[in-house]
């Protein structure tokens, strides 16, 4: 009996694997630090990988 295989994860096509980015808000705080926020990819939710399309559909042939 073949071993069980898990669905293979691929690099997210929306963010190309760069799932989280820091965006500057255009200023500095009173200590001189750059103010930034973190934005995550909405497609992969910040993981950088997605399941193959056939794995998401139930592995239809």
């Amino acid at each position: 009996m073949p071993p069980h295989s898990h669905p293979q994860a691929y690099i997210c096509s929306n963010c190309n694997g760069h799932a989280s980015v820091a965006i500057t808000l255009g200023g500095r705080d009173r200590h001189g630090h750059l103010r930034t926020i973190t934005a995550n990819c909405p497609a992969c939710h910040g993981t950088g990988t997605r399941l193959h399309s056939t794995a998401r559909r139930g592995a239809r042939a």
Side-chain angles (χ1 to χ4, degrees), residues 23-30 32-37:
I23 301 172
T24 62
L25 297 175
R28 296 186 180 266
D29 63 7
R30 61 188 177 117
H33 297 206
L34 199 61
R35 296 183 326 182
T36 61
I37 58 171

Side-chain angles (χ1 to χ4, degrees), residues 35-53:
R35 296 183 326 182
T36 61
I37 58 171
T38 303
N40 292 327
C41 174
C44 65
H45 304 289
T47 62
T49 59
R50 294 186 67 175
L51 294 177
H52 190 270
S53 61

Side-chain angles (χ1 to χ4, degrees), residues 6-7 9 13 15-16 18 27 29 31 36-37 39-40 42 45 48 51 54 59 61:
H6 299 288
S13 60
C15 65
N16 290 330
H18 300 283
D29 63 7
H31 299 291
T36 61
I37 58 171
N40 292 327
H45 304 289
L51 294 177
T54 57

